[in-house]
């Protein structure tokens, strides 16, 4: 895989990685893992909210009247 960054993005990534004492590659891989984890968390929250809405549909309807 090739990751193309703008000059500004590359400079920011380089600076962030240097501050943390890691390579740019490790910083990018960490960002990808965080992005995936955040998306999976959002999916679980959405699913839980849907279960609550379904389980309490009657009460929610009465509250909105």
């Amino acid at each position: 895989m090739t990751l193309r960054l703008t000059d500004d993005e590359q400079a920011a990534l380089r600076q962030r990685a240097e501050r943390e004492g890691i390579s740019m590659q490790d910083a990018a891989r960490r960002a990808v893992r965080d992005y995936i984890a955040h998306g999976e968390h959002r999916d679980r929250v959405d699913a839980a909210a849907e279960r609550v809405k379904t389980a309490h549909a009657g009460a929610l309807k009465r509250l909105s009247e």
Side-chain angles (χ1 to χ4, degrees), residues 2-62:
T2 300
L3 177 62
R4 291 178 180 83
L5 302 173
T6 66
D7 291 342
D8 289 343
E9 291 168 337
Q10 185 170 348
L13 178 60
R14 179 176 287 113
Q15 290 172 359
R16 183 78 243 160
E18 286 175 359
R19 281 194 294 269
E20 295 188 22
I22 60 176
S23 69
M24 288 176 39
Q25 179 176 340
D26 285 342
R29 291 176 63 222
R30 183 183 297 173
V32 169
R33 288 191 303 270
D34 289 349
Y35 172 77
I36 291 167
H38 178 76
E40 289 172 349
H41 174 74
R42 187 177 53 245
D43 292 346
R44 288 191 304 274
V45 169
D46 289 347
E50 195 57 42
R51 286 191 302 272
V52 169
K53 286 186 341 187
T54 299
H56 301 286
L60 292 170
K61 185 175 190 296
R62 287 190 301 278

